[in-house]
Amino acid sequence: MSSTMKPPKGFAPMSCCWSTATMQKRLPFLAWLPDYTWHALKMDFIAGISVGLTVIPQALAYAEVAGLPPQYGLYSAFMGCFVYFFLGTSRDVTLGPTAIMSLLVSFYTFHEPAYAVLLAFLSGCIQLGMGFLRLGFLLDFISCPVIKGFTSAAAIIIGFGQIKNLLGLQHISRQFFLQVYYTFHNIGETRVGDAVLGLVCMVLLLVLKLMRDHVPPVHPEMPTGVRLSHGLVWTATTARNALVVSFAALVAYSFQVTGYQPFVLTGKTPEGLPDAHIPPFSVTTANGTISFTEMVQGMGAGLAVVPLMGLLESIAVAKSFASQNNYRIDANQELLAIGLTNILGSLFSSYPVTGSFGRTAVNAQSGVCSPAGGLMTGALVLLSLDYLTSLFYYIPKSALAAVIIMAVVPLFDTKIVGTLWRVKRLDLLPLCVTFLLCFWEVQYGILAGTLVSMLILLHSVARPKIQVSEGPMLVLQPASGLHFPAIETLREALLSRALETSPPRSAALDCTHICNIDYTVVLGLGELLEDFHKRGATLALIGLQVPVLRVLLSADLKGVLYFCTLEEAEKYLKQEPGTQPYNGSEDSVPEHKIALLKA
């Protein structure tokens, strides 16, 4: 049960060369399955059961967050387990419904299952396309402060959204600000039974979590009784969600037998898995038929936000555990896995899913050795749909609310503000913008935060810091690359420090940190060379990298002086012997040392 178990030979070192590399890259299970061991099977079985006992109550609860009937949570919880077995590159990740994805689904699907299923299909198509086109790099433009701002706001929105179920309140709006108002306005209608049971469930979940975090590791030299006790405690604390929900259902059933029911119950859940069918491309309502085009227009920004946030959450989880457990993942392959999961899941009435951090943590802590653990999790969910749905009737909504609240509490990062204040205070701006606007509309928060982050990035590109050194020559060194928005900043620095002095001074531009330039920069350098020439001064370039050199040669600039070192430039300007410029074309210019590009 230790998290340090070694994976089967052939799984962890994803970067090594294989004889059938292409097939194993697209179907990663071919890399580790031939060396799969009985020990790995045992550990995967234990991990799969542990995750299954976690996902079943969570799936029922997250369906409530998504505004859907509880069975849709279970419909969404099994397909990712099977698809990831074949396509996943992380041994730890589990795909399924999550709190954040459920929240996004509730925003864009009007609490209509048909919209949710269609959104899963379209999101999967977008994700699969991004995987084939290798567009995973686009996710890198969503910065960490934006992610932290979104997840922290989502934790509050989801958590507060469950207060109504925790207190047994009815007819509360789902819009956040109205929800806050009506929750406090109707606080007097609190059902004592639901409130007490919900709080008891929260306390039990917290105690079991603390026990799980403080269980000492087991050692082989321990007595058998101690190891058995350790195993029982580990099992109970790992499956705490299922344990607490079962306890609450038993309490509710006991009251039902007596003829008095103080709790709001989940109610009847349809048995079995729905028949496979294509996603609904139109919906018939009392007011007529809603066409596919109208459904897509209704989902609006959700078609961008849901697939992107799903990819972001899943890849972030995969990278986090890959780093902890010393193996590598393929981000584009992960896109294919999650995209195909959503497409196939939509055939069985799933709403969009992604990687779950909480269940992935359970998987890793259970000693999982490969994605095969997901097979047991998926089988457990299917069994629950066939045989346990009649028991779900007695699950109190307050118990599911307690599960959700305790699951989203870790999403709120209490330390991020202090960390950013110490590291880089400017990053607080996208964090706060994202956090605050997400309470209005999630897509506006994410979009605004990303735009602020991009503006900060573009400002650093357009206004790079320029280090100035005084000496026999004035030396200016851009601290980062030189792109077209920055040429005006460089021009102003050279004019103010070299040409607007009396007399004008020669200057050297240290290009050590410049790895490429564009045509606008070339034109700007040409204008600077003319300005220096007119004022009787010299502008020399130092430390040009070969790609930059080739661009300058191709541009056919006149009188561009290049030297490998500042000392050579100073000697040339003093007309000392031994430092004469080369007259050469691109073919005759040494790669490592050039004196004159074009006389």
Side-chain angles (χ1 to χ4, degrees), residues 203-227:
V203 171
L204 288 175
L205 288 169
L206 178 61
V207 170
L208 290 171
K209 183 182 185 303
L210 292 175
M211 288 177 62
R212 178 69 178 85
D213 294 341
H214 294 87
V215 171
V218 65
H219 300 290
E221 61 272 13
M222 288 182 174
T224 304
V226 174
R227 282 185 289 165

Side-chain angles (χ1 to χ4, degrees), residues 579-591:
T579 311
Q580 294 298 322
Y582 290 97
N583 281 328
S585 63
E586 182 178 356
D587 294 333
S588 64
V589 175
E591 294 267 325

Side-chain angles (χ1 to χ4, degrees), residues 266-291:
T266 298
K268 183 174 177 58
T269 303
E271 290 185 8
L273 190 66
D275 295 332
H277 55 80
I278 62 173
F281 292 104
S282 63
V283 177
T284 302
T285 66
N287 298 324
T289 300
I290 302 175
S291 67

Side-chain angles (χ1 to χ4, degrees), residues 165-286:
N165 290 327
L166 195 72
L167 302 180
L169 302 177
Q170 302 291 325
H171 310 298
I172 302 294
S173 171
R174 285 182 171 270
Q175 203 283 331
F176 180 73
F177 295 108
L178 292 176
Q179 194 172 78
V180 172
Y181 171 77
Y182 283 111
T183 297
F184 286 106
H185 183 268
N186 298 339
I187 198 74
E189 301 175 10
T190 298
R191 296 169 59 101
V192 176
D194 285 300
V196 171
L197 181 63
L199 292 174
V200 168
C201 289
M202 288 180 65
V203 171
L204 288 175
L205 288 169
L206 178 61
V207 170
L208 290 171
K209 183 182 185 303
L210 292 175
M211 288 177 62
R212 178 69 178 85
D213 294 341
H214 294 87
V215 171
V218 65
H219 300 290
E221 61 272 13
M222 288 182 174
T224 304
V226 174
R227 282 185 289 165
L228 181 60
S229 300
H230 180 279
L232 291 174
V233 172
W234 179 86
T235 302
T237 54
T238 299
R240 58 186 176 272
N241 288 326
L243 198 63
V244 169
V245 168
S246 300
F247 160 76
L250 185 61
V251 171
Y253 179 75
S254 301
F255 277 101
Q256 186 82 1
V257 171
T258 66
Y260 171 70
Q261 187 54 265
F263 312 119
V264 178
L265 302 181
T266 298
K268 183 174 177 58
T269 303
E271 290 185 8
L273 190 66
D275 295 332
H277 55 80
I278 62 173
F281 292 104
S282 63
V283 177
T284 302
T285 66

Side-chain angles (χ1 to χ4, degrees), residues 389-425:
T389 49
S390 60
L391 302 179
F392 295 158
Y393 178 94
Y394 298 101
I395 297 177
K397 287 191 174 183
S398 59
L400 295 179
V403 169
I404 294 172
I405 291 172
M406 297 305 295
V408 300
V409 166
L411 293 178
F412 189 87
D413 193 337
T414 57
K415 299 178 180 178
I416 187 62
V417 173
T419 301
L420 293 181
W421 183 264
R422 293 191 307 271
V423 176
K424 187 177 181 183
R425 296 176 185 178

Side-chain angles (χ1 to χ4, degrees), residues 13 56 86 98 147 224 262 283 338 427 521 536 539 577 599:
I56 291 172
F86 296 100
T98 66
I147 297 170
T224 304
V283 177
I338 189 172
D427 281 340
V521 173
L539 175 62

